[in-house]
C-alpha cells in the first residue's frame, strides 16, 4: 500500500523552486551591493559625503547576510582602484563606527590579503594594500602606533644583506610611497617614532649600491634635467613634504567631513606581520630612472607644473601610470581616462600625460608594453584634444630632437619607430624646414641619422614618391633610394650561370 500523499512530489518541486528563488534573490542583492561599492565616488547629483553615509547604512544592514562578500569587494576595490583609496577607507571607518566587530574582521581580512600578495610576489597589489592599511589610521580604524610597528618591520627587511637589493629596495619604496597618505597623522601623534623610521631609511639609502643607475639613463648628460634614480627622487620628495609639515594638495580626504563620528570609534591594532622570506625564484620590480622632459618654463600660461621634488609630482605621475596600466589594452578608453584626470584644473595635464607616456616608452631595458601601444594612445589623445595635444606633442618632439645627441641608442630607435608611425597617421605633416640645418652636419651625426632613419621608416609605411614630395629640397639627400625589384633571371649573364 502506497502511504505517500498524492501531492508529496509536488512539494519537492515547490521546495526546489523556493530554494532557487532564494538563491536568485541573494545573487541579485549581492550584485546590487557590488555595483554600489564600485560606483561610489563617481559623478553624482548627490555629494560624496551623503553617498558614503547612505552606502554605509545600506552595507551595515546587510552585514549579517553578506559579510564575507562585503569584505572581499571592499578589499578588491582598494587594490584595483588605488586612486579611490581614501574613499573606501572612509567607508570602512563609517562601518567600524557602526559595528566594531566588522572593523576588526576587515582589518584581519586586509592583513591576510597583504600577506598573500607578498607571498605570491604581487608587489603592486601588496603596496596598495599597505597604502589602504595606512589610510585606515586617518579614519580612526587603526592605531598609529600599530601602523608604525608594521612600517618599522618592513624597513628592517631592507637591512638584510643576504637578499637581492631589488627586494630591499621594494620594502623601502613601499614605505616611502605610503607616507604621503598618513605622514601628517603619524607626525601629529608619533613624531619621535616617525623621525626614527626616516633616519633608518636615510641610512639605508646612503649605503645602497647604484651601479644600475648609468645603464638606465635615457641621456648620457644631466642637463637640463637631472636623471634621478627612483628611490633617490622619492626620498627628496618625502623630505620636501616633511619640510611642508606633511601637507599636500592632491589627495582627496573625504573622512575629514566625518571626523566627529570617526574620532569616537574604537580603534584596532594590527596583528604581528612578518614578511615571507626570500626565495631564489622570486621576481621583484626592477629599478628605474625618473624621466623628465618638461619644467614649468616649458608650459604656457595656465596651471603651473609642480616642481620635480614636490610630492604632488609623484602623486600625479603615479596616478597617470596607474591609468595606463589599467586601460592599456583599449587605446580609446585609455586616452579618455587620461584626459579625465580628476585634478586637471590644477596642472598642465597635456604636458604631464605626454611626459609620462614617453617615460614608459623610453623605460630601460624595455618598456612595460609594446611600443605601438604608446603610439596608438598618443594618436587617440590628439583626436580627443585636437586644440592642445598636437602642439604639446610637437613641442616634446622638438625637445627630444634637440637632445638626441646624448640619447641612449635603444631609446633613439624607439623614438624613430614612434615618430614615423605617428607621421603616417597624420598625412606625414611636419615642419621639416626647421631641421634644414642638419644637412650641414656630418652624416653620422645623430640628428641627420635620425632624419634619415625616420624617412626610411616612413617609406616602408608609404611609398617613395610620397616621401620625396613631402621633404624640402635641402633635405633631399636624406630621402632613401627608391626600392626597385631585382629579377635575377633577367640580369646579364643569368642564362650562362643557369647552364
Amino acid at each position: 500500500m502506497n502511504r505517500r500523499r498524492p501531492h508529496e512530489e509536488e512539494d519537492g518541486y515547490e521546495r526546489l523552486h523556493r530554494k532557487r528563488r532564494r538563491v536568485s534573490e541573494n545573487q541579485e542583492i549581492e550584485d546590487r551591493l557590488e555595483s554600489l561599492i564600485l560606483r561610489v565616488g563617481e559623478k553624482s547629483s548627490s555629494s560624496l559625503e551623503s553617498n558614503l553615509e547612505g552606502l554605509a547604512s545600506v552595507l551595515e544592514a546587510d552585514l549579517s547576510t553578506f559579510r564575507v562578500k562585503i569584505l572581499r569587494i571592499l578589499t578588491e576595490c582598494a587594490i584595483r582602484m588605488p586612486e579611490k583609496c581614501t574613499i573606501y577607507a572612509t567607508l570602512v571607518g563609517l562601518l567600524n563606527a557602526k559595528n566594531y566587530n566588522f572593523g576588526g574582521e576587515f582589518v584581519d581580512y586586509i592583513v591576510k590579503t597583504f600577506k598573500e600578495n607578498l607571498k605570491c610576489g604581487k608587489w603592486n597589489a601588496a603596496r596598495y594594500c599597505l597604502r589602504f592599511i595606512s589610510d585606515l589610521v586617518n579614519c580612526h580604524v587603526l592605531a598609529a602606533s600599530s601602523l608604525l610597528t608594521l612600517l618599522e618591520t618592513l624597513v628592517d627587511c631592507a637591512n638584510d644583506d643576504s637578499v637581492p637589493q631589488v627586494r630591499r629596495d621594494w620594502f623601502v619604496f613601499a614605505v616611502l610611497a605610503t607616507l604621503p597618505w598618513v605622514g601628517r597623522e603619524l607626525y601629529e601623534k608619533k613624531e619621535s617614532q616617525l623621525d626614527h623610521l626616516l633616519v633608518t631609511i636615510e641610512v639605508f639609502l646612503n649605503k645602497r649600491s647604484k651601479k644600475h643607475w648609468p645603464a638606465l639613463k635615457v641621456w648620457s648628460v644631466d642637463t637640463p634635467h637631472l636623471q634621478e634614480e627612483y628611490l633617490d627622487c622619492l626620498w627628496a620628495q618625502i623630505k620636501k613634504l616633511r619640510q611642508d609639515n606633511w601637507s599636500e594638495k592632491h589627495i582627496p580626504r573625504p573622512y575629514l567631513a566625518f571626523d566627529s563620528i570617526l574620532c569616537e570609534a574604537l580603534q584596532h591594532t594590527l596583528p604581528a606581520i612578518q614578511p615571507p622570506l626570500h626565495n631564489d625564484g622570486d621576481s621583484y620590480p626592477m629599478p628605474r630612472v625618473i624621466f623628465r622632459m618638461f619644467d614649468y618654463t616649458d608650459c604656457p600660461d595656465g596651471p603651473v607644473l609642480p616642481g620635480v621634488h614636490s610630492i604632488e609630482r609623484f602623486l600625479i605621475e603615479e596616478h597617470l601610470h596607474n591609468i595606463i596600466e589599467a586601460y592599456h589594452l583599449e587605446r580609446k578608453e585609455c586616452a579618455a581616462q587620461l584626459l579625465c584626470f580628476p585634478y586637471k584644473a590644477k596642472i598642465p595635464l597635456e604636458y604631464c600625460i605626454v611626459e609620462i607616456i614617453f617615460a614608459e616608452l623610453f623605460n630601460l631595458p624595455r618598456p612595460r608594453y609594446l611600443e605601438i601601444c604608446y603610439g596608438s594612445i598618443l594618436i587617440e589623445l590628439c583626436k580627443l584634444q585636437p586644440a592642445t595635444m598636437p602642439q604639446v606633442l610637437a613641442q616634446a618632439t622638438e625637445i627630444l630632437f634637440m637632445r638626441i645627441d646624448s640619447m641612449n641608442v635603444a631609446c633613439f630607435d624607439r623614438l624613430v619607430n614612434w615618430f614615423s608611425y605617428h607621421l603616417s597617421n597624420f598625412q606625414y605633416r611636419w615642419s621639416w624646414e626647421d631641421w634644414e640645418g642638419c644637412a650641414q652636419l656630418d652624416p653620422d651625426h645623430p640628428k641627420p641619422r635620425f632624419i634619415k632613419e625616420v624617412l626610411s621608416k616612413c617609406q616602408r609605411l608609404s611609398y617613395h614618391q610620397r616621401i620625396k614630395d613631402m621633404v624640402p629640397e635641402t633635405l633631399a639627400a636624406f630621402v632613401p633610394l627608391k626600392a626597385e625589384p631585382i629579377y635575377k633571371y633577367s640580369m646579364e649573364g643569368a642564362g650562362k650561370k643557369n647552364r
Side-chain angles (χ1 to χ4, degrees):
M1 183 177 173
N2 190 350
R3 296 178 179 275
R4 288 188 301 176
R5 291 174 295 172
H7 58 279
E8 188 172 1
E9 292 185 8
E10 293 181 12
D11 286 348
Y13 283 116
E14 181 64 27
R15 284 196 301 274
L16 182 61
H17 177 69
R18 285 200 302 270
K19 183 178 179 182
R20 285 178 176 172
R21 185 171 59 194
R22 188 165 59 250
V23 170
S24 177
E25 289 173 354
N26 285 348
Q27 185 62 47
E28 188 177 326
I29 295 173
E30 286 184 4
D31 291 344
R32 181 174 61 86
L33 290 176
E34 184 169 358
S35 176
L36 288 172
I37 295 172
L38 282 170
R39 289 163 49 197
V40 67
E42 295 180 2
K43 288 184 178 180
S44 169
S45 56
S46 305
S47 66
L48 174 59
E49 290 75 17
S50 63
N51 286 339
L52 283 171
E53 203 165 15
L55 181 55
S57 298
V58 170
L59 295 180
E60 200 229 343
D62 289 325
L63 281 179
S64 57
T65 310
F66 304 103
R67 184 179 300 264
V68 176
K69 179 81 172 179
I70 293 170
L71 285 170
R72 183 181 62 80
I73 295 173
L74 284 172
T75 303
E76 287 183 357
C77 286
I79 295 172
R80 295 183 182 180
M81 294 184 282
E83 68 279 1
K84 293 168 69 174
C85 168
T86 55
I87 294 175
Y88 291 116
T90 304
L91 185 56
V92 173
L94 292 172
L95 287 171
N96 179 63
K98 294 173 180 286
N99 190 322
Y100 177 76
N101 290 333
F102 174 79
E105 290 177 4
F106 183 84
V107 169
D108 291 339
Y109 193 91
I110 192 75
V111 167
K112 178 185 175 184
T113 306
F114 178 57
K115 289 179 177 179
E116 287 176 353
N117 286 324
L118 286 176
K119 185 177 180 181
C120 298
K122 297 179 180 178
W123 303 109
N124 274 345
R127 188 161 62 86
Y128 297 144
C129 269
L130 180 62
R131 177 191 297 180
F132 193 69
I133 290 170
S134 301
D135 209 33
L136 293 178
V137 174
N138 296 318
C139 301
H140 301 274
V141 177
L142 284 174
S145 57
S146 179
L147 173 66
L148 273 167
T149 301
L150 170 60
L151 298 182
E152 289 169 351
T153 301
L154 297 178
V155 172
D156 285 342
C157 293
N159 293 321
D160 183 0
D161 295 333
S162 64
V163 299
Q165 182 174 305
V166 283
R167 173 184 168 91
R168 301 159 66 195
D169 286 353
W170 182 85
F171 282 105
V172 171
F173 178 74
V175 172
L176 287 176
T178 295
L179 291 179
W181 274 261
V182 74
R184 180 73 182 180
E185 192 76 8
L186 298 180
Y187 168 71
E188 291 177 350
K189 294 182 177 178
K190 297 288 178 181
E191 183 180 359
S192 59
Q193 202 172 345
L194 175 61
D195 288 344
H196 180 266
L197 177 73
L198 294 174
V199 168
T200 306
I201 291 174
E202 187 171 24
V203 170
F204 167 80
L205 293 175
N206 287 337
K207 69 179 183 181
R208 69 188 282 264
S209 171
K210 289 188 285 189
K211 292 180 181 178
H212 57 274
W213 187 15
L216 300 181
K217 290 181 176 182
V218 174
W219 289 290
S220 58
V221 296
D222 285 330
T223 54
H225 302 295
L226 178 65
Q227 298 172 80
E228 293 181 283
E229 208 268 347
Y230 79 115
L231 267 182
D232 288 345
C233 182
L234 179 55
W235 175 241
Q237 290 164 334
I238 291 295
K239 288 198 296 184
K240 178 70 168 58
L241 178 62
R242 186 185 185 186
Q243 292 173 4
D244 296 336
N245 292 322
W246 300 97
S247 297
E248 49 67 43
K249 302 173 184 176
H250 278 265
I251 299 178
R253 301 185 185 272
Y255 41 75
L256 295 177
F258 301 101
D259 190 59
S260 59
I261 299 172
L262 298 177
C263 69
E264 295 180 358
L266 296 174
Q267 293 181 316
H268 304 269
T269 56
L270 290 168
I273 300 175
Q274 193 60 43
L277 298 175
H278 166 70
N279 291 316
D280 290 338
D282 289 343
S283 177
Y284 300 96
M286 298 303 291
R288 54 195 171 86
V289 170
I290 301 299
F291 179 80
R292 296 278 184 247
M293 184 163 55
F294 300 120
D295 56 35
Y296 69 96
T297 59
D298 296 311
C299 306
D301 297 338
V304 178
L305 185 69
V308 294
H309 287 158
S310 67
I311 200 63
E312 285 78 17
R313 191 73 170 262
F314 169 77
L315 297 173
I316 292 165
E317 290 171 351
E318 185 184 45
H319 195 162
L320 293 173
H321 279 302
N322 288 341
I323 292 174
I324 293 174
E325 181 180 1
Y327 298 100
H328 69 277
L329 293 175
E330 180 46 67
R331 66 186 192 280
K332 292 181 183 291
E333 183 64 20
C334 186
Q337 291 293 331
L338 287 169
L339 292 174
C340 290
F341 188 73
Y343 307 108
K344 57 186 178 182
K346 299 180 180 179
I347 60 171
L349 180 61
E350 291 83 0
Y351 288 87
C352 293
I353 291 174
V354 168
E355 187 173 71
I356 285 299
I357 291 178
F358 278 115
E360 294 231 359
L361 178 62
F362 294 147
N363 187 65
L364 293 169
R366 62 184 65 86
R368 281 201 294 178
Y369 309 117
L370 294 175
E371 291 178 33
I372 199 170
C373 166
Y374 304 108
S376 61
I377 293 171
L378 286 169
I379 289 169
E380 294 302 325
L381 287 166
C382 289
K383 291 178 180 178
L384 289 175
Q385 204 86 301
T388 54
M389 189 57 74
Q391 288 83 350
V392 174
L393 203 50
Q395 185 178 346
T397 305
E398 286 290 352
I399 290 174
L400 293 171
F401 182 73
M402 293 304 297
R403 297 190 64 185
I404 207 167
D405 303 16
S406 59
M407 181 175 275
N408 180 287
V409 174
C411 298
F412 180 99
D413 291 340
R414 294 177 203 173
L415 183 61
V416 168
N417 292 337
W418 164 76
F419 190 49
S420 56
Y421 169 71
H422 191 79
L423 289 175
S424 71
N425 282 271
F426 291 94
Q427 302 177 2
Y428 299 97
R429 291 195 299 264
W430 183 251
S431 52
W432 298 103
E433 295 79 6
D434 295 343
W435 292 353
E436 289 179 348
C438 296
Q440 311 303 320
L441 298 174
D442 185 286
D444 289 328
H445 189 279
K447 288 181 180 178
R449 175 63 62 183
F450 174 77
I451 297 174
K452 191 171 182 179
E453 292 285 342
V454 166
L455 294 178
S456 178
K457 289 277 184 180
C458 287
Q459 179 168 282
R460 295 184 189 183
L461 297 168
S462 182
Y463 54 94
H464 177 76
Q465 193 61 42
R466 176 72 182 274
I467 306 305
K468 185 177 179 181
D469 292 344
M470 77 179 186
V471 175
E473 191 64 32
T474 50
L475 295 178
F478 296 140
V479 176
L481 297 175
K482 184 178 180 179
E484 299 285 358
I486 298 176
Y487 300 104
K488 67 177 184 178
Y489 292 108
S490 63
M491 297 172 65
E492 186 178 350
K496 295 179 180 179
K497 291 179 182 178
N498 290 331
R499 288 199 299 268

